[in-house]
Amino acid sequence: MSVEPNDRVESNDRVEWSERSAAAAPSEGSRPSVLFVCVHNAGRSQMAAAYLTHLSGGAVEVRSAGSAPGAHVNPSAVAAMAEEGIDISAEQPKILTTQAVQVSDVVITMGCGDTCPYFPGKRYEDWVLDDPAGQGIEAVRPIRDEIRSRVLTLLGELGVDQAV
């Protein structure tokens, strides 16, 4: 299949933009920076940010934000991450800003549609994941586990060794 610049390529519930996904590799010796974005910044993006921080041992600069942030982090997401030994209970949803996108090498969206600003030279991915909003912990665990798997793949793509 031939891909024109900015064409979407879909596989395994992961959407990448061809021209953008190849861009924005951090320069050698610098710490890569990743921004996770979902609508409320209360579930998926919080879990992804916590996993990347934890599994990279701080080797990656991690941010998360939402296009319409909620009032608090989803209690089921907090409980699911606590089962993994990761405490996100003190986290607060944050608003997506242009600056957060500008300073990030990789921007990973999770169901926020077209609300994320686009800057040439950034690597963009859309992770298609179920929304844990309003779900109990039984429904959140598989979402959490899928996020962990994708974060591990991302670490490999960034050339960062898993710390834990």
Side-chain angles (χ1 to χ4, degrees):
M1 156 176 69
S2 76
V3 178
E4 296 300 317
N6 294 324
D7 280 356
R8 288 170 43 136
V9 179
E10 298 189 36
S11 66
N12 297 330
D13 293 331
R14 185 166 144 170
V15 179
E16 298 184 32
W17 284 264
S18 59
E19 181 178 286
R20 298 175 215 166
S21 63
S27 59
E28 186 152 336
S30 71
R31 190 167 82 145
S33 176
V34 177
L35 169 64
F36 293 101
V37 182
C38 66
V39 175
H40 300 295
N41 188 225
R44 295 167 290 190
S45 56
Q46 291 283 351
M47 290 189 287
Y51 266 133
L52 186 54
T53 299
H54 179 74
L55 294 171
S56 75
V60 177
E61 186 177 351
V62 181
R63 296 176 185 81
S64 70
S67 54
H72 54 80
V73 175
N74 179 329
S76 293
V78 172
M81 293 305 287
E83 291 178 347
E84 296 285 292
I86 302 172
D87 183 6
I88 62 171
S89 62
E91 296 298 327
Q92 292 294 313
K94 295 167 275 314
I95 187 74
L96 176 63
T97 65
T98 301
Q99 180 184 10
V101 177
Q102 286 177 316
V103 299
S104 298
D105 299 311
V106 180
V107 179
I108 297 177
T109 58
M110 303 173 187
C112 63
D114 296 330
T115 60
C116 189
Y118 168 74
F119 292 97
K122 301 288 176 198
R123 173 180 165 182
Y124 288 82
E125 292 185 21
D126 186 43
W127 290 359
V128 180
L129 298 160
D130 290 335
D131 187 350
Q135 303 292 323
I137 193 163
E138 295 295 327
V140 173
R141 284 183 184 123
I143 300 166
R144 174 203 64 199
D145 295 345
E146 178 63 22
I147 290 170
R148 184 181 194 282
S149 174
R150 291 178 189 221
V151 165
L152 287 170
T153 299
L154 179 63
L155 280 171
E157 292 170 353
L158 294 173
V160 175
D161 292 330
Q162 181 179 343
V164 218

